[in-house]
Amino acid sequence: MPESKSSKNEVEISRDRLAELLNEDLAREYQAIISYVVYSQVLSGAEYMDIADQLQIHAKQELDHALAISRQIDYLGKMPAVTPKAVRTSKEAKEMLRFDLENENETIRNYRDRVRQCEALGEYAMAEQIRQILVQEQDHQIDLATALGEDVPDVSGPQGQGLRKAS
Ligand SMILES: [Fe+2]
Ligand SMILES: [Fe+2]
């Protein structure tokens, strides 16, 4: 069975652990807001005009995600984090887009896990909210891959694994 080793801990999840993981998601959303705010303004050159416009839209969507994730953390009785994950910068347009794409890949991987974890805890409304965020993250990933002239990376991990509640 292609079950990944790491999934066991993450599958047997408590509400406290879910809140911790959501705080990491929130830190990634802050990181995304900052990088899209900056990159959308500094990307220059005719070839990057379209993607610069798209990055401005991403920035606003990432803010909506941060608000939605904070609400879930508060609902779980925890304090939302205030520190972004580190933002990488570059003078090279391609490199900036590559950083964004890598971050989106990581974000998508995490939210896919989060949907399963929410469902394992019976938090179906939360799972639904994260699914809606995931749809937008996948759009971001496509926009970035397209701007880089690449195929959309396959970041799907082990899917459809059974989930158990921590006992
Ligand atoms: Fe986001
Ligand atoms: Fe995103």
Side-chain angles (χ1 to χ4, degrees):
M1 238 180 107
E3 172 76 86
S4 79
K5 272 188 220 137
S6 66
S7 66
K8 187 159 190 274
N9 291 335
E10 303 296 8
V11 162
E12 290 177 4
I13 188 156
S14 66
R15 290 170 68 87
D16 278 1
R17 178 65 184 144
L18 178 63
E20 274 176 30
L21 291 167
L22 286 168
N23 257 329
E24 288 181 25
D25 297 330
L26 181 57
R28 266 186 291 275
E29 294 294 354
Y30 293 148
Q31 174 195 51
I33 293 165
I34 295 168
S35 55
Y36 285 132
V37 164
V38 174
Y39 294 179
S40 65
Q41 304 310 310
V42 302
L43 269 181
S44 53
E47 66 207 291
Y48 295 114
M49 254 167 58
D50 283 353
I51 187 70
D53 286 347
Q54 285 169 332
L55 298 192
Q56 288 204 47
I57 297 168
H58 293 186
K60 293 176 185 173
Q61 290 173 329
E62 305 296 11
L63 176 57
D64 287 339
H65 301 168
L67 288 167
I69 297 297
S70 305
R71 195 177 314 123
Q72 304 310 330
I73 294 164
D74 177 67
Y75 161 81
L76 289 169
K78 299 292 176 188
M79 186 71 181
V82 295
T83 311
K85 302 247 179 211
V87 178
R88 292 175 289 178
T89 55
S90 171
K91 292 202 165 87
E92 292 290 318
K94 272 222 145 122
E95 209 169 34
M96 281 189 254
L97 295 173
R98 158 106 20 237
F99 291 154
D100 279 340
L101 180 57
E102 286 170 7
N103 290 342
E104 291 290 351
N105 293 344
E106 180 70 16
T107 293
I108 288 167
R109 251 184 245 116
N110 272 279
Y111 281 141
R112 284 186 178 155
D113 286 346
R114 222 62 78 237
V115 167
R116 293 193 281 265
Q117 291 158 340
C118 289
E119 287 179 345
L121 284 168
E123 293 287 353
Y124 299 107
M126 199 183 290
E128 192 48 44
Q129 289 237 327
I130 293 175
R131 264 199 202 89
Q132 287 173 18
I133 294 176
L134 203 35
V135 170
Q136 290 194 331
E137 307 296 14
Q138 283 167 326
D139 280 344
H140 298 171
Q141 186 191 41
I142 292 166
D143 289 346
L144 292 162
T146 305
L148 285 163
E150 296 177 5
D151 290 336
V152 177
D154 177 12
V155 295
S156 57
Q159 295 276 341
Q161 304 294 341
L163 285 170
R164 297 171 301 276
K165 220 171 168 171
S167 48

